[in-house]
mmCIF file of all heavy atoms in Angstrom:
data_model
loop_
_atom_site.group_PDB
_atom_site.id
_atom_site.type_symbol
_atom_site.label_atom_id
_atom_site.label_comp_id
_atom_site.label_asym_id
_atom_site.label_seq_id
_atom_site.Cartn_x
_atom_site.Cartn_y
_atom_site.Cartn_z
ATOM 1 N N LEU A 18 9.480 15.573 -6.448
ATOM 2 C CA LEU A 18 9.574 16.041 -7.834
ATOM 3 C C LEU A 18 10.516 15.158 -8.644
ATOM 4 O O LEU A 18 10.241 14.845 -9.794
ATOM 5 C CB LEU A 18 10.059 17.493 -7.864
ATOM 6 C CG LEU A 18 9.077 18.533 -7.347
ATOM 7 C CD1 LEU A 18 9.760 19.895 -7.250
ATOM 8 C CD2 LEU A 18 7.844 18.606 -8.213
ATOM 9 N N GLY A 19 11.619 14.759 -8.024
ATOM 10 C CA GLY A 19 12.597 13.925 -8.732
ATOM 11 C C GLY A 19 12.101 12.521 -9.021
ATOM 12 O O GLY A 19 12.480 11.909 -10.016
ATOM 13 N N SER A 20 11.247 12.005 -8.156
ATOM 14 C CA SER A 20 10.751 10.641 -8.365
ATOM 15 C C SER A 20 9.467 10.619 -9.183
ATOM 16 O O SER A 20 8.862 9.574 -9.363
ATOM 17 C CB SER A 20 10.481 9.973 -7.016
ATOM 18 O OG SER A 20 9.373 10.593 -6.390
ATOM 19 N N ASP A 21 9.044 11.772 -9.640
ATOM 20 C CA ASP A 21 7.841 11.886 -10.462
ATOM 21 C C ASP A 21 6.561 11.630 -9.671
ATOM 22 O O ASP A 21 5.506 11.416 -10.256
ATOM 23 C CB ASP A 21 7.926 10.947 -11.665
ATOM 24 C CG ASP A 21 7.409 11.600 -12.930
ATOM 25 O OD1 ASP A 21 7.374 12.846 -12.978
ATOM 26 O OD2 ASP A 21 7.053 10.860 -13.860
ATOM 27 N N LEU A 22 6.653 11.630 -8.354
ATOM 28 C CA LEU A 22 5.463 11.432 -7.519
ATOM 29 C C LEU A 22 4.477 12.572 -7.711
ATOM 30 O O LEU A 22 3.269 12.356 -7.699
ATOM 31 C CB LEU A 22 5.852 11.329 -6.041
ATOM 32 C CG LEU A 22 4.719 11.111 -5.046
ATOM 33 C CD1 LEU A 22 4.049 9.761 -5.313
ATOM 34 C CD2 LEU A 22 5.230 11.163 -3.619
ATOM 35 N N SER A 23 4.991 13.770 -7.931
ATOM 36 C CA SER A 23 4.099 14.916 -8.110
ATOM 37 C C SER A 23 3.248 14.786 -9.368
ATOM 38 O O SER A 23 2.152 15.334 -9.441
ATOM 39 C CB SER A 23 4.902 16.211 -8.154
ATOM 40 O OG SER A 23 5.791 16.196 -9.246
ATOM 41 N N ARG A 24 3.717 14.042 -10.357
ATOM 42 C CA ARG A 24 2.956 13.843 -11.587
ATOM 43 C C ARG A 24 2.048 12.624 -11.514
ATOM 44 O O ARG A 24 0.923 12.647 -12.003
ATOM 45 C CB ARG A 24 3.930 13.681 -12.764
ATOM 46 C CG ARG A 24 3.520 14.539 -13.925
ATOM 47 C CD ARG A 24 4.472 14.424 -15.092
ATOM 48 N NE ARG A 24 5.324 15.607 -15.085
ATOM 49 C CZ ARG A 24 6.617 15.601 -15.297
ATOM 50 N NH1 ARG A 24 7.243 14.480 -15.531
ATOM 51 N NH2 ARG A 24 7.302 16.709 -15.286
ATOM 52 N N ARG A 25 2.552 11.560 -10.876
ATOM 53 C CA ARG A 25 1.772 10.319 -10.802
ATOM 54 C C ARG A 25 0.662 10.378 -9.757
ATOM 55 O O ARG A 25 -0.407 9.822 -9.970
ATOM 56 C CB ARG A 25 2.677 9.132 -10.499
ATOM 57 C CG ARG A 25 3.537 8.716 -11.689
ATOM 58 C CD ARG A 25 4.359 7.495 -11.399
ATOM 59 N NE ARG A 25 5.404 7.869 -10.431
ATOM 60 C CZ ARG A 25 5.792 7.103 -9.405
ATOM 61 N NH1 ARG A 25 5.246 5.936 -9.214
ATOM 62 N NH2 ARG A 25 6.747 7.514 -8.597
ATOM 63 N N ALA A 26 0.932 11.012 -8.633
ATOM 64 C CA ALA A 26 -0.059 11.104 -7.546
ATOM 65 C C ALA A 26 0.016 12.499 -6.935
ATOM 66 O O ALA A 26 0.531 12.681 -5.830
ATOM 67 C CB ALA A 26 0.208 10.027 -6.501
ATOM 68 N N PRO A 27 -0.506 13.499 -7.633
ATOM 69 C CA PRO A 27 -0.360 14.877 -7.156
ATOM 70 C C PRO A 27 -1.053 15.132 -5.815
ATOM 71 O O PRO A 27 -0.555 15.891 -4.997
ATOM 72 C CB PRO A 27 -0.983 15.721 -8.270
ATOM 73 C CG PRO A 27 -1.803 14.798 -9.074
ATOM 74 C CD PRO A 27 -1.214 13.438 -8.908
ATOM 75 N N THR A 28 -2.166 14.473 -5.569
ATOM 76 C CA THR A 28 -2.869 14.661 -4.299
ATOM 77 C C THR A 28 -2.053 14.086 -3.146
ATOM 78 O O THR A 28 -1.922 14.725 -2.095
ATOM 79 C CB THR A 28 -4.259 13.993 -4.343
ATOM 80 O OG1 THR A 28 -4.962 14.483 -5.490
ATOM 81 C CG2 THR A 28 -5.047 14.297 -3.097
ATOM 82 N N LEU A 29 -1.516 12.904 -3.346
ATOM 83 C CA LEU A 29 -0.679 12.288 -2.317
ATOM 84 C C LEU A 29 0.572 13.136 -2.061
ATOM 85 O O LEU A 29 0.948 13.362 -0.912
ATOM 86 C CB LEU A 29 -0.282 10.873 -2.743
ATOM 87 C CG LEU A 29 0.677 10.136 -1.806
ATOM 88 C CD1 LEU A 29 0.016 9.892 -0.460
ATOM 89 C CD2 LEU A 29 1.123 8.838 -2.438
ATOM 90 N N PHE A 30 1.188 13.603 -3.124
ATOM 91 C CA PHE A 30 2.375 14.434 -2.989
ATOM 92 C C PHE A 30 2.056 15.721 -2.228
ATOM 93 O O PHE A 30 2.803 16.114 -1.322
ATOM 94 C CB PHE A 30 2.960 14.761 -4.365
ATOM 95 C CG PHE A 30 4.104 15.720 -4.315
ATOM 96 C CD1 PHE A 30 5.311 15.349 -3.747
ATOM 97 C CD2 PHE A 30 3.973 17.000 -4.834
ATOM 98 C CE1 PHE A 30 6.378 16.236 -3.700
ATOM 99 C CE2 PHE A 30 5.030 17.887 -4.785
ATOM 100 C CZ PHE A 30 6.238 17.510 -4.218
ATOM 101 N N ALA A 31 0.967 16.367 -2.577
ATOM 102 C CA ALA A 31 0.581 17.607 -1.907
ATOM 103 C C ALA A 31 0.265 17.358 -0.425
ATOM 104 O O ALA A 31 0.666 18.146 0.438
ATOM 105 C CB ALA A 31 -0.625 18.233 -2.606
ATOM 106 N N ALA A 32 -0.428 16.258 -0.141
ATOM 107 C CA ALA A 32 -0.757 15.936 1.255
ATOM 108 C C ALA A 32 0.508 15.624 2.056
ATOM 109 O O ALA A 32 0.651 16.059 3.202
ATOM 110 C CB ALA A 32 -1.723 14.758 1.298
ATOM 111 N N LEU A 33 1.416 14.879 1.464
ATOM 112 C CA LEU A 33 2.673 14.542 2.134
ATOM 113 C C LEU A 33 3.507 15.798 2.392
ATOM 114 O O LEU A 33 3.999 16.008 3.506
ATOM 115 C CB LEU A 33 3.466 13.550 1.280
ATOM 116 C CG LEU A 33 4.817 13.109 1.838
ATOM 117 C CD1 LEU A 33 4.635 12.344 3.135
ATOM 118 C CD2 LEU A 33 5.532 12.247 0.810
ATOM 119 N N LEU A 34 3.629 16.633 1.397
ATOM 120 C CA LEU A 34 4.405 17.859 1.541
ATOM 121 C C LEU A 34 3.756 18.801 2.562
ATOM 122 O O LEU A 34 4.454 19.395 3.390
ATOM 123 C CB LEU A 34 4.558 18.554 0.193
ATOM 124 C CG LEU A 34 5.497 19.749 0.137
ATOM 125 C CD1 LEU A 34 6.903 19.340 0.577
ATOM 126 C CD2 LEU A 34 5.538 20.313 -1.276
ATOM 127 N N ALA A 35 2.439 18.904 2.525
ATOM 128 C CA ALA A 35 1.739 19.765 3.489
ATOM 129 C C ALA A 35 1.895 19.246 4.917
ATOM 130 O O ALA A 35 2.130 20.023 5.851
ATOM 131 C CB ALA A 35 0.256 19.868 3.123
ATOM 132 N N SER A 36 1.793 17.935 5.102
ATOM 133 C CA SER A 36 1.918 17.390 6.455
ATOM 134 C C SER A 36 3.342 17.531 7.001
ATOM 135 O O SER A 36 3.529 17.879 8.166
ATOM 136 C CB SER A 36 1.451 15.933 6.503
ATOM 137 O OG SER A 36 2.266 15.123 5.697
ATOM 138 N N VAL A 37 4.339 17.302 6.159
ATOM 139 C CA VAL A 37 5.727 17.467 6.604
ATOM 140 C C VAL A 37 6.007 18.937 6.923
ATOM 141 O O VAL A 37 6.666 19.256 7.912
ATOM 142 C CB VAL A 37 6.708 16.925 5.542
ATOM 143 C CG1 VAL A 37 8.134 17.328 5.847
ATOM 144 C CG2 VAL A 37 6.596 15.423 5.454
ATOM 145 N N THR A 38 5.476 19.841 6.133
ATOM 146 C CA THR A 38 5.652 21.275 6.385
ATOM 147 C C THR A 38 4.950 21.685 7.672
ATOM 148 O O THR A 38 5.491 22.462 8.464
ATOM 149 C CB THR A 38 5.128 22.092 5.191
ATOM 150 O OG1 THR A 38 5.811 21.674 4.002
ATOM 151 C CG2 THR A 38 5.338 23.575 5.404
ATOM 152 N N LEU A 39 3.759 21.148 7.917
ATOM 153 C CA LEU A 39 3.025 21.468 9.151
ATOM 154 C C LEU A 39 3.774 20.949 10.373
ATOM 155 O O LEU A 39 3.916 21.664 11.377
ATOM 156 C CB LEU A 39 1.618 20.863 9.096
ATOM 157 C CG LEU A 39 0.756 21.093 10.327
ATOM 158 C CD1 LEU A 39 0.461 22.578 10.498
ATOM 159 C CD2 LEU A 39 -0.526 20.298 10.219
ATOM 160 N N ILE A 40 4.270 19.731 10.296
ATOM 161 C CA ILE A 40 5.041 19.164 11.416
ATOM 162 C C ILE A 40 6.308 19.990 11.652
ATOM 163 O O ILE A 40 6.671 20.268 12.795
ATOM 164 C CB ILE A 40 5.373 17.683 11.153
ATOM 165 C CG1 ILE A 40 4.102 16.847 11.234
ATOM 166 C CG2 ILE A 40 6.406 17.171 12.136
ATOM 167 C CD1 ILE A 40 4.260 15.420 10.757
ATOM 168 N N ALA A 41 6.959 20.413 10.584
ATOM 169 C CA ALA A 41 8.157 21.238 10.720
ATOM 170 C C ALA A 41 7.824 22.586 11.350
ATOM 171 O O ALA A 41 8.590 23.095 12.183
ATOM 172 C CB ALA A 41 8.824 21.430 9.358
ATOM 173 N N ALA A 42 6.686 23.160 10.991
ATOM 174 C CA ALA A 42 6.278 24.443 11.572
ATOM 175 C C ALA A 42 5.985 24.296 13.067
ATOM 176 O O ALA A 42 6.376 25.156 13.870
ATOM 177 C CB ALA A 42 5.052 24.983 10.837
ATOM 178 N N VAL A 43 5.329 23.212 13.444
ATOM 179 C CA VAL A 43 5.052 22.972 14.866
ATOM 180 C C VAL A 43 6.364 22.777 15.625
ATOM 181 O O VAL A 43 6.541 23.323 16.720
ATOM 182 C CB VAL A 43 4.121 21.749 15.045
ATOM 183 C CG1 VAL A 43 4.046 21.311 16.492
ATOM 184 C CG2 VAL A 43 2.732 22.073 14.517
ATOM 185 N N ARG A 44 7.282 22.044 15.051
ATOM 186 C CA ARG A 44 8.588 21.854 15.707
ATOM 187 C C ARG A 44 9.329 23.183 15.844
ATOM 188 O O ARG A 44 9.987 23.429 16.835
ATOM 189 C CB ARG A 44 9.455 20.869 14.931
ATOM 190 C CG ARG A 44 8.941 19.447 15.094
ATOM 191 C CD ARG A 44 9.912 18.448 14.578
ATOM 192 N NE ARG A 44 10.687 17.971 15.733
ATOM 193 C CZ ARG A 44 11.861 17.401 15.646
ATOM 194 N NH1 ARG A 44 12.411 17.227 14.477
ATOM 195 N NH2 ARG A 44 12.482 16.991 16.708
ATOM 196 N N GLN A 45 9.215 24.041 14.841
ATOM 197 C CA GLN A 45 9.849 25.359 14.916
ATOM 198 C C GLN A 45 9.266 26.171 16.073
ATOM 199 O O GLN A 45 10.004 26.817 16.818
ATOM 200 C CB GLN A 45 9.694 26.113 13.594
ATOM 201 C CG GLN A 45 10.280 27.494 13.598
ATOM 202 C CD GLN A 45 11.786 27.516 13.751
ATOM 203 O OE1 GLN A 45 12.473 26.541 13.493
ATOM 204 N NE2 GLN A 45 12.307 28.620 14.193
ATOM 205 N N ILE A 46 7.967 26.122 16.229
ATOM 206 C CA ILE A 46 7.322 26.826 17.353
ATOM 207 C C ILE A 46 7.808 26.248 18.676
ATOM 208 O O ILE A 46 8.114 26.995 19.609
ATOM 209 C CB ILE A 46 5.790 26.734 17.232
ATOM 210 C CG1 ILE A 46 5.309 27.550 16.032
ATOM 211 C CG2 ILE A 46 5.110 27.205 18.512
ATOM 212 C CD1 ILE A 46 3.874 27.292 15.646
ATOM 213 N N LEU A 47 7.882 24.930 18.764
ATOM 214 C CA LEU A 47 8.340 24.290 20.002
ATOM 215 C C LEU A 47 9.800 24.638 20.306
ATOM 216 O O LEU A 47 10.175 24.780 21.475
ATOM 217 C CB LEU A 47 8.164 22.772 19.910
ATOM 218 C CG LEU A 47 6.725 22.275 19.915
ATOM 219 C CD1 LEU A 47 6.685 20.780 19.610
ATOM 220 C CD2 LEU A 47 6.044 22.576 21.235
ATOM 221 N N ILE A 48 10.613 24.783 19.281
ATOM 222 C CA ILE A 48 12.014 25.142 19.484
ATOM 223 C C ILE A 48 12.127 26.597 19.917
ATOM 224 O O ILE A 48 12.828 26.922 20.872
ATOM 225 C CB ILE A 48 12.834 24.885 18.202
ATOM 226 C CG1 ILE A 48 12.933 23.386 17.930
ATOM 227 C CG2 ILE A 48 14.217 25.513 18.300
ATOM 228 C CD1 ILE A 48 13.458 23.040 16.546
ATOM 229 N N ARG A 49 11.435 27.488 19.225
ATOM 230 C CA ARG A 49 11.537 28.926 19.515
ATOM 231 C C ARG A 49 10.949 29.290 20.871
ATOM 232 O O ARG A 49 11.423 30.192 21.519
ATOM 233 C CB ARG A 49 10.824 29.736 18.439
ATOM 234 C CG ARG A 49 11.362 29.536 17.076
ATOM 235 C CD ARG A 49 12.610 30.261 16.828
ATOM 236 N NE ARG A 49 12.396 31.307 15.854
ATOM 237 C CZ ARG A 49 13.207 32.322 15.747
ATOM 238 N NH1 ARG A 49 14.178 32.446 16.568
ATOM 239 N NH2 ARG A 49 13.022 33.220 14.830
ATOM 240 N N ARG A 50 9.900 28.600 21.263
ATOM 241 C CA ARG A 50 9.225 28.918 22.528
ATOM 242 C C ARG A 50 9.491 27.837 23.581
ATOM 243 O O ARG A 50 8.610 27.494 24.355
ATOM 244 C CB ARG A 50 7.739 29.089 22.276
ATOM 245 C CG ARG A 50 7.478 30.130 21.206
ATOM 246 C CD ARG A 50 6.207 30.895 21.262
ATOM 247 N NE ARG A 50 5.429 30.840 22.439
ATOM 248 C CZ ARG A 50 5.415 31.783 23.391
ATOM 249 N NH1 ARG A 50 6.209 32.813 23.290
ATOM 250 N NH2 ARG A 50 4.619 31.669 24.429
ATOM 251 N N PHE A 51 10.716 27.327 23.566
ATOM 252 C CA PHE A 51 11.067 26.228 24.469
ATOM 253 C C PHE A 51 10.808 26.584 25.930
ATOM 254 O O PHE A 51 10.132 25.835 26.638
ATOM 255 C CB PHE A 51 12.546 25.840 24.282
ATOM 256 C CG PHE A 51 12.979 24.765 25.234
ATOM 257 C CD1 PHE A 51 12.731 23.440 24.944
ATOM 258 C CD2 PHE A 51 13.616 25.078 26.428
ATOM 259 C CE1 PHE A 51 13.111 22.436 25.825
ATOM 260 C CE2 PHE A 51 14.010 24.088 27.309
ATOM 261 C CZ PHE A 51 13.759 22.768 27.007
ATOM 262 N N ASP A 52 11.362 27.686 26.388
ATOM 263 C CA ASP A 52 11.265 28.030 27.813
ATOM 264 C C ASP A 52 9.829 28.135 28.316
ATOM 265 O O ASP A 52 9.477 27.474 29.300
ATOM 266 C CB ASP A 52 12.038 29.311 28.113
ATOM 267 C CG ASP A 52 13.541 29.102 28.009
ATOM 268 O OD1 ASP A 52 14.014 28.017 28.383
ATOM 269 O OD2 ASP A 52 14.229 30.025 27.554
ATOM 270 N N PRO A 53 8.974 28.943 27.691
ATOM 271 C CA PRO A 53 7.608 29.038 28.248
ATOM 272 C C PRO A 53 6.807 27.739 28.149
ATOM 273 O O PRO A 53 6.044 27.413 29.050
ATOM 274 C CB PRO A 53 6.944 30.143 27.432
ATOM 275 C CG PRO A 53 7.875 30.543 26.371
ATOM 276 C CD PRO A 53 9.183 29.875 26.602
ATOM 277 N N ILE A 54 7.007 26.990 27.073
ATOM 278 C CA ILE A 54 6.229 25.757 26.914
ATOM 279 C C ILE A 54 6.757 24.662 27.827
ATOM 280 O O ILE A 54 5.989 24.008 28.532
ATOM 281 C CB ILE A 54 6.229 25.289 25.442
ATOM 282 C CG1 ILE A 54 5.520 26.317 24.559
ATOM 283 C CG2 ILE A 54 5.544 23.926 25.314
ATOM 284 C CD1 ILE A 54 5.629 26.041 23.076
ATOM 285 N N PHE A 55 8.066 24.443 27.826
ATOM 286 C CA PHE A 55 8.634 23.357 28.625
ATOM 287 C C PHE A 55 8.446 23.616 30.115
ATOM 288 O O PHE A 55 8.192 22.677 30.874
ATOM 289 C CB PHE A 55 10.117 23.163 28.307
ATOM 290 C CG PHE A 55 10.674 21.886 28.858
ATOM 291 C CD1 PHE A 55 10.607 20.720 28.109
ATOM 292 C CD2 PHE A 55 11.243 21.827 30.113
ATOM 293 C CE1 PHE A 55 11.097 19.523 28.607
ATOM 294 C CE2 PHE A 55 11.748 20.641 30.628
ATOM 295 C CZ PHE A 55 11.668 19.476 29.868
ATOM 296 N N ASP A 56 8.575 24.863 30.537
ATOM 297 C CA ASP A 56 8.417 25.162 31.965
ATOM 298 C C ASP A 56 6.993 24.907 32.456
ATOM 299 O O ASP A 56 6.799 24.487 33.593
ATOM 300 C CB ASP A 56 8.824 26.607 32.251
ATOM 301 C CG ASP A 56 10.323 26.814 32.081
ATOM 302 O OD1 ASP A 56 11.071 25.815 32.083
ATOM 303 O OD2 ASP A 56 10.738 27.976 31.942
#
């Protein structure tokens, strides 16, 4: 938002934000369910 990417390339910004959020959600699942998954 600060670099104006959301205005210049809204599709790219949305895709980047969605992918980073998805990766963060997967990492959260891996952190929360460490024992059953890692074992």
Side-chain angles (χ1 to χ4, degrees):
L18 290 172
S20 69
D21 221 21
L22 181 64
S23 62
R24 227 179 258 137
R25 287 184 290 140
T28 306
L29 176 65
F30 174 68
L33 179 64
L34 188 58
S36 63
V37 168
T38 303
L39 179 65
I40 290 170
V43 168
R44 287 191 96 201
Q45 178 65 21
I46 292 167
L47 291 172
I48 292 168
R49 300 282 247 159
R50 305 209 13 100
F51 177 83
D52 290 324
I54 296 172
F55 193 88
D56 291 342

